[in-house]
Amino acid sequence: MSHETTGIEYLFQDPKIHLDERVRDLVLRLTLEEKVESMLQYQPAIDRLGVAAYKHGTEAAHGIAWLGEATSFPQPVGLACTWDTELMRLIGSVIADEARVYYRRDPKLNGLTLWAPTVDMERDPRWGRNEEAYGEDPYLTGELSKELVKGIQGDHPVYLKAVATLKHFLGNNNEVDRGIGSSSIDPRNLREYYLRAFEKPFTEGGAQSMMTSYNLINGTPATLYHGVNDIVRDEWGMDGFVVSDAGDIMGIVNDHQYYASHTPGVAESIRAGIDSITDDAELSKQAIREALAQGTLQEEDLDRALFHTFRVRFRLGEFDPAADNPYASIGEEALMTEQARELSLRAAREQIVLLKNKHELLPLNPARCGKVAVIGTHGNEVYRDWYSGTLPYRVTPLEAIRAKLEGEDAKERVVYRDAKNRVTLTAANDGAKLTVDSSGEMRLSQDGEPTVLTMTDWGYGSVTLHDEHLGTYVTSDEETLRVTADEAYGWYVKEVFGLTPVGQGEHLWTTWNGKPVIAGTEGSLKVVEAERSALNAVESNASKASTVSGQSHTTFQVEMVSDGLAEAIAAAQAADTAIVFVGNHPLINGKEENDRRGLELAASQQRLIEEVYRVNPNMIVILTGSYPFAIPWVQEHIPAIVYTSHAGQEHGTAIADVLFGDYAPAGRLNMTWVRSEEQLGDIKDYDIIRGGRTYQYFEGESLYPFGHGLTYSPFEYNDLRTDASKDSVKSIAALDAVDTLQVWVEVTNRGVAAGEEVVQLYVRPGASRVKRPLKTLCGFQRIRLEAGETRTVSFTIRVKDWAIWDVTRDCYCVESGEYTLLAGASSADIRLEHPVYVRGEVIPPRQAGRNIRAENFDDCSDIVLDESKEQREACVRPRTPQRSGWIAFHGVDMDTVSVVELQCRVSGNSSDATIELRLDAPDSEAVARVNVGNTGGAQAWVTLSEAVHSVSGTRDVYLLLSGEVRLAHFTLGANATEDSGFQA
């Protein structure tokens, strides 16, 4: 049958043709300029071919965002605390359904390419975007992300419901300097930790898209990182498309200053695997055109990228009859359904973690809890973060608690105090009072009554000011202030202010970006520029005459109208039960572009807890947060502590259900909660192995361990067993590295009511060539058991997943030896152990005479990985030129060759750049010294050699690097074979 008789004009329009052939046909029909235009996030319509306009990128971290009302789910940090893979798949399906609804409304702007989930590993709780990801463990993150991807993309063999975009690849776990900083990640950390979280969503979840990160990876911008093609595409087989993060392609020049112009960065990004550019459209297109003209980019490079993006659009059903695509019929009836609301409530309940429950204070009995004082800002609020959608409704904890105690006396039984101060502001020099009119205009006046503002202290010098009469917040622009904001929200949260004490009752008033607020003309308020030095002078000077930018009246009196703390104490003292709500604001205390300034609660919140406890020890703390907190005092004193993320529309309902026993909590922490920030290293140190990060390597005393969470019923574990046969020699169960292991454990609910348990399975390796984790999660299941019920929980374990990355051979390796399976309720609450023996490999010694890559060290000190532009592997250099650093290579067999020479591929950028060879210890006497000097710059690579005194045996090799020196690889051998191009 001809195309003419079927109404099909082009080959790509025929659904019967193989997908890849259709995509290639379409791409080849595009003109070169159409191809250039289609390389951007907003792909234009191509009317002559019947191709519609399309936009990549709809935010969907925990529900559809920024398009209108949609079902909201808990923050991803909360979803991770559910440890529920089935729930994640169902949530993904709802998100995709609602994306389809908005796509049908406006397919040009509301695309089906969803920017979720965030798979970044959260090895540091200070990360500003902690709310967006799934925790510190790659197995947990991989499993949850994989199921969300499946839900989003659907299970049809041909068509996709929507597209999941994994972000951010790779090593993006700090916000400060993210656009200029480099994440130093050696091969073991890379392969055993950072990559593992991303692998399963691709290989098992089939994710069709990925976003690169803002940072550099070992000195290379992530958009240029070879792992996009080498690992994601070639190793994992990802057949979708890769998108850059917003503004990051231009960031190669603007932020990283990696190139002097945009053209080489754009060209190299496309060659390195970027298929869709989310950036300034005109600059990007101009750079592509210039690169094509210069020959640094070929038309085939564009064809390859567009093949990837259009292939995904084909799979969404865009080019096929709607009747063929089961997802094309999804319409308005799928938006905010009753089933979606119930799923939102289920998620909000499941993510709640009971941190402590002394003397079984919880659950509360409505008939016996007496008068209840609900205290704290979070008690009557539901906050949303930057990637939250527009909530269709919101249930606050106060509303839900009152509903639990319904009856004629409900309002009398539940007393609410927000613990906020009500204040007035007065100019310190002349006593002019701050007033607000009905339009929200603010003025300083000598007449009339001052306006009372409600002040919320978020800690670390940040406050918000709210006019309860108007129901709006004080907000600022670059020139003035008004009381017109409905909430504290935005990329720049302009409703945040500083009121810094500078003397006797005086305060310096500053805006969200640190600009002083001063008195202007005729009673107006002005926002002015000021140097930091001038602000410091004012902060240290209590004089009313202090000035900024030549302006006076820079300080204000903050006068208390009502004391929120005193009101809260009085309410708690008069109540039988006190429930104190504390936590963070997801757009103030840490967010995108802003890491947290500390792990503690706001000082005012800590004091609130302590003072309420002093008058009413029958107290519960509800901690609402986007990340772990350091709360050792709270853990020591408060009898009951509950943690929840900002959980969306059903936030309050879920909390009340847990408090009054209508739902038994079973959430588990997705991160280790440390006792103090002092237990953490530098936030920019990405080496979890040597840095002792996460439960896998942390040897300190945690506040709450990874996987921790209590419930209302005790669960008993029995009979941990496997299907491995006993080895006659080892006398324990043994198996091969290629085997799949079946593991069973019996779990019994010993309580009087039904409940849920998260059964966790870890593996602890035995003796190893390298430093191994203390334990590693290898399985988990969330189960529900009736009172007295016993269930046999089964796990299927691939022994190959216990592999380490062998840096001596650049491959995964399962070492021979004993491994211990650990079953329990958390990483620290291990109930049963079962040893097995694995017949794997013994890693052989390194052999002298072979080329050894510097990045493949076994240990290091004061070293970072950096870029070697002449080859794909990273090089190493001292962390700072002023301090030497060393790398170690353990077990080098010196007898394989007659070692007489050290040969190094190096670059030097200072006269004192040297490399010393030492044996067995970093402080031993040098047996060779290579004077590198200045080779002509950091990327001017040469090969240098130096004689070595005769050595033999198997030795540990240490290379001490000093000055501005980089080392790519080295050889210990008989003689040099490579022309150095440089004479030392």
Side-chain angles (χ1 to χ4, degrees):
M1 184 180 296
S2 69
H3 288 324
E4 287 75 14
T5 59
T6 61
I8 295 173
E9 185 176 358
Y10 305 111
L11 182 68
F12 73 82
Q13 297 171 327
D14 189 348
K16 297 178 181 179
I17 304 298
H18 189 278
L19 172 64
D20 289 356
E21 189 175 350
R22 295 176 68 192
V23 180
R24 279 191 288 268
D25 179 71
L26 171 59
V27 172
L28 290 175
R29 292 182 187 277
L30 302 179
T31 66
L32 181 58
E33 183 56 26
E34 288 170 340
K35 292 176 182 179
V36 172
E37 295 274 347
S38 298
M39 287 296 298
L40 278 298
Q41 175 190 18
Y42 288 85
Q43 293 184 309
I46 303 171
D47 295 331
R48 67 183 184 84
L49 296 176
V51 176
Y54 187 84
K55 177 200 172 189
H56 294 293
T58 294
E59 298 294 351
H62 47 118
I64 294 298
W66 305 356
L67 302 185
E69 289 186 353
T71 304
S72 69
F73 297 97
Q75 295 175 303
V77 66
L79 294 177
C81 290
T82 69
W83 292 55
D84 189 335
T85 54
E86 177 197 44
L87 175 69
M88 296 299 290
R89 188 168 62 254
L90 294 173
I91 288 172
S93 183
V94 168
I95 290 173
D97 284 343
E98 299 192 351
R100 279 277 173 181
V101 174
Y102 278 102
Y103 175 70
R104 286 188 70 173
R105 289 182 182 180
D106 190 347
K108 293 181 180 180
L109 292 179
N110 303 334
L112 293 171
T113 307
L114 309 184
W115 284 353
T118 297
V119 190
D120 298 292
M121 293 314 305
E122 298 187 307
R123 35 107 234 164
D124 196 299
R126 294 167 295 190
W127 184 35
R129 301 182 75 172
N130 191 85
E131 67 205 20
E132 294 182 39
Y134 297 90
E136 69 181 31
D137 182 74
Y139 182 86
L140 177 66
T141 295
E143 290 292 321
L144 296 177
S145 299
K146 174 185 73 177
E147 295 305 318
L148 187 78
V149 167
K150 287 181 178 179
I152 287 173
Q153 298 190 167
D155 57 5
H156 194 274
V158 175
Y159 297 105
L160 299 167
K161 188 189 287 191
V163 172
T165 300
L166 309 187
K167 58 183 191 176
H168 310 84
F169 192 83
L170 186 72
N172 178 191
N173 192 212
N174 62 274
E175 290 303 293
V176 176
D177 295 337
R178 69 177 184 178
I180 59 174
S182 179
S183 301
S184 178
I185 305 175
D186 66 85
R188 276 199 65 206
N189 276 283
L190 178 72
R191 291 285 183 167
E192 296 176 28
Y193 188 66
Y194 293 101
L195 289 178
R196 279 192 171 167
F198 280 89
E199 184 173 3
K200 279 190 178 179
F202 283 122
T203 60
E204 298 179 21
Q208 285 291 288
S209 182
M210 182 184 81
M211 178 185 289
T212 52
S213 55
Y214 283 117
N215 54 284
L216 301 108
I217 304 167
N218 297 337
T220 301
T223 52
L224 311 181
Y225 181 53
H226 67 85
V228 173
N229 282 327
D230 293 352
I231 298 171
V232 179
R233 290 199 183 281
D234 295 346
E235 290 188 28
W236 297 343
M238 196 274 271
D239 56 2
F241 73 97
V242 179
V243 60
S244 63
D245 207 342
D248 199 28
I249 298 296
M250 299 301 107
I252 295 173
V253 173
N254 298 338
D255 299 321
H256 298 304
Q257 299 179 5
Y258 190 84
Y259 287 120
S261 71
H262 295 305
T263 300
V266 171
E268 191 174 339
S269 292
I270 294 170
R271 296 199 306 271
I274 299 296
D275 303 310
S276 176
I277 297 173
T278 311
D279 215 316
D280 185 292
E282 294 308 314
L283 284 177
S284 300
K285 289 185 288 187
Q286 184 59 34
I288 293 173
R289 296 184 189 107
E290 291 177 359
L292 290 168
Q294 295 168 2
T296 56
L297 195 64
Q298 305 300 318
E299 186 171 1
E300 300 83 65
D301 296 318
L302 303 187
D303 291 348
R304 181 177 58 254
L306 294 174
F307 177 86
H308 295 147
T309 55
F310 276 107
R311 189 178 190 276
V312 169
R313 288 178 63 176
F314 270 87
R315 291 200 62 194
L316 288 167
E318 178 183 342
F319 298 94
D320 293 354
D324 294 348
N325 179 6
Y327 304 126
S329 62
I330 296 174
E332 295 293 328
E333 75 286 346
L335 185 65
M336 296 182 291
T337 66
E338 178 61 22
Q339 291 77 15
R341 186 200 68 79
E342 292 174 356
L343 190 66
S344 175
L345 176 57
R346 173 183 166 183
R349 286 168 164 172
E350 286 195 19
Q351 55 92 44
I352 292 176
V353 182
L354 181 59
L355 296 175
K356 182 181 178 182
N357 193 21
K358 187 177 181 180
H359 304 313
E360 298 183 345
L361 176 58
L362 293 175
L364 298 174
N365 186 328
R368 298 178 183 174
C369 63
K371 189 173 183 179
V372 176
V374 175
I375 296 169
T377 301
H378 291 79
N380 198 29
E381 293 281 1
V382 177
Y383 294 106
R384 61 190 185 122
D385 59 51
W386 177 243
Y387 291 110
S388 292
T390 302
L391 278 59
Y393 63 90
R394 59 187 74 195
V395 181
T396 73
L398 176 63
E399 293 167 340
I401 290 170
R402 281 183 170 154
K404 293 294 183 185
L405 302 176
E406 62 183 349
E408 293 183 3
D409 64 343
K411 289 187 178 180
E412 288 72 25
R413 287 187 66 189
V414 181
V415 176
Y416 175 62
R417 296 292 182 268
D418 59 20
K420 301 176 184 178
N421 293 332
R422 271 69 180 174
V423 302
T424 60
L425 278 72
T426 304
N429 73 318
D430 61 3
K433 301 175 180 61
L434 179 69
T435 61
V436 181
D437 67 17
S438 59
S439 69
E441 183 179 353
M442 304 179 73
R443 300 189 64 79
L444 289 168
S445 173
Q446 297 287 347
D447 303 319
E449 291 295 318
T451 297
V452 177
L453 297 174
T454 302
M455 183 168 67
T456 306
D457 179 7
W458 294 105
Y460 303 97
S462 295
V463 302
T464 52
L465 299 167
H466 184 255
D467 187 320
E468 291 180 305
H469 177 70
L470 295 178
T472 50
Y473 286 85
V474 181
T475 188
S476 66
D477 56 25
E478 294 304 305
E479 296 181 354
T480 188
L481 276 64
R482 292 181 63 81
V483 190
T484 55
D486 292 329
E487 60 181 325
Y489 187 81
W491 181 259
Y492 301 112
V493 188
K494 298 181 179 182
E495 295 72 45
V496 174
F497 296 92
L499 283 169
T500 307
V502 293
Q504 292 292 330
E506 296 182 28
H507 296 75
L508 177 66
W509 190 1
T510 52
T511 62
W512 64 277
N513 54 352
K515 295 183 178 181
V517 177
I518 69 169
T521 58
E522 298 181 354
S524 65
L525 290 174
K526 290 179 60 179
V527 177
V528 297
E529 296 285 347
E531 296 292 335
R532 184 65 249 179
S533 58
L535 289 178
N536 290 339
V538 172
E539 290 172 2
S540 62
N541 184 354
S543 170
K544 297 177 182 178
S546 299
T547 62
V548 176
S549 299
Q551 304 283 346
S552 59
H553 305 173
T554 58
T555 59
F556 293 80
Q557 296 279 354
V558 179
E559 298 176 2
M560 186 89 70
V561 175
S562 63
D563 186 332
L565 177 61
E567 293 172 345
I569 293 171
Q573 196 165 19
D576 299 290
T577 304
I579 308 175
V580 177
F581 286 81
V582 294
N584 80 308
H585 189 298
L587 282 163
I588 295 176
N589 300 114
K591 68 179 190 70
E592 191 165 355
E593 288 197 328
N594 292 284
D595 292 313
R596 294 169 67 190
R597 294 167 63 182
L599 299 181
E600 295 78 16
L601 290 168
S604 60
Q605 293 184 358
Q606 180 67 33
R607 186 183 176 197
L608 174 66
I609 294 171
E610 294 178 13
E611 291 297 313
V612 170
Y613 176 73
R614 181 175 57 81
V615 300
N616 189 344
N618 193 46
M619 174 181 170
I620 303 151
V621 166
I622 309 294
L623 182 58
T624 303
S626 307
Y627 35 61
F629 293 87
I631 51 169
W633 190 95
V634 180
Q635 167 60 22
E636 181 181 354
H637 294 89
I638 305 304
I641 309 169
V642 174
Y643 168 72
T644 172
S645 73
H646 297 275
Q649 60 196 44
E650 292 287 352
H651 177 73
T653 308
I655 291 172
D657 285 348
V658 166
L659 287 176
F660 291 95
D662 296 302
Y663 182 82
R668 297 294 190 269
L669 294 180
N670 64 331
M671 296 183 72
T672 302
W673 287 35
V674 296
R675 301 184 66 83
S676 167
E677 188 176 358
E678 295 176 355
Q679 293 176 297
L680 302 173
D682 188 336
I683 191 174
K684 296 178 183 178
D685 181 4
Y686 280 75
D687 189 337
I688 72 160
I689 299 173
R690 295 162 193 85
R693 293 297 189 91
T694 82
Y695 77 97
Q696 294 190 55
Y697 295 98
F698 180 64
E699 297 183 5
E701 180 186 359
S702 65
L703 184 68
Y704 305 114
F706 173 79
H708 171 74
L710 309 176
T711 189
Y712 294 155
S713 295
F715 287 84
E716 181 179 284
Y717 288 63
N718 290 290
D719 194 20
L720 177 62
R721 62 192 187 276
T722 73
D723 66 346
S725 302
K726 182 175 287 189
D727 185 280
S728 58
V729 177
K730 299 295 181 181
S731 298
I732 62 172
L735 62 162
D736 295 322
V738 296
D739 287 345
T740 297
L741 180 68
Q742 295 297 320
V743 182
W744 298 274
V745 62
E746 288 187 357
V747 182
T748 302
N749 181 353
R750 293 299 184 191
V752 296
E756 294 175 88
E757 174 77 342
V758 177
V759 184
Q760 301 169 41
L761 187 68
Y762 297 85
V763 61
R764 181 177 65 216
S768 172
R769 179 188 175 277
V770 297
K771 181 179 179 180
R772 295 290 299 268
L774 303 170
K775 60 179 71 73
T776 301
L777 184 69
C778 60
F780 64 91
Q781 283 191 45
R782 183 171 180 136
I783 61 171
R784 176 180 171 83
L785 297 179
E786 296 299 321
E789 181 183 358
T790 296
R791 183 181 305 174
T792 299
V793 180
S794 63
F795 300 93
T796 301
I797 307 297
R798 300 182 305 185
V799 179
K800 69 176 184 179
D801 290 339
W802 298 350
I804 62 169
W805 183 255
D806 178 14
V807 293
T808 73
R809 296 174 296 175
D810 289 319
C811 64
Y812 284 108
C813 167
V814 178
E815 292 181 293
S816 291
E818 186 174 304
Y819 295 74
T820 304
L821 292 165
L822 312 167
S826 82
S827 62
D829 185 7
I830 300 301
R831 309 289 181 84
L832 300 170
E833 299 187 6
H834 183 84
V836 295
Y837 185 84
V838 175
R839 295 180 288 260
E841 297 181 77
V842 176
I843 298 174
R846 299 179 191 262
Q847 295 186 1
R850 294 185 177 178
N851 190 56
I852 299 175
R853 297 214 309 271
E855 67 174 347
N856 279 337
F857 52 77
D858 290 305
D859 201 0
C860 69
S861 177
D862 288 314
I863 287 290
V864 295
L865 285 90
D866 211 328
E867 183 181 50
S868 170
K869 285 190 175 181
E870 71 169 6
Q871 49 206 334
R872 287 191 168 185
E873 72 258 24
C875 65
V876 299
R877 63 170 175 81
R879 187 175 299 276
T880 65
Q882 295 76 32
R883 183 172 179 176
S884 299
W886 55 259
I887 50 177
F889 302 84
H890 297 152
V892 180
D893 185 356
M894 301 291 189
D895 293 332
T896 55
V897 296
S898 177
V899 177
V900 296
E901 187 177 64
L902 168 65
Q903 183 183 121
C904 301
R905 187 65 175 172
V906 294
S907 71
N909 202 29
S910 66
S911 60
D912 61 346
T914 62
I915 297 176
E916 291 185 359
L917 170 63
R918 302 179 178 187
L919 299 177
D920 303 325
D923 56 355
S924 64
E925 185 177 349
V927 297
R929 176 186 175 94
V930 178
N931 293 310
V932 180
N934 194 325
T935 63
Q939 296 298 330
W941 293 92
V942 299
T943 301
L944 300 179
S945 302
E946 185 65 33
V948 178
H949 299 298
S950 180
V951 293
S952 61
T954 299
R955 312 288 290 274
D956 291 343
V957 169
Y958 290 81
L959 295 175
L960 184 75
L961 283 66
S962 302
E964 293 188 50
V965 62
R966 286 170 166 79
L967 173 66
H969 52 82
F970 70 97
T971 306
L972 290 167
N975 51 61
T977 59
E978 186 175 349
D979 181 15
S980 70
F982 178 83
Q983 298 297 318

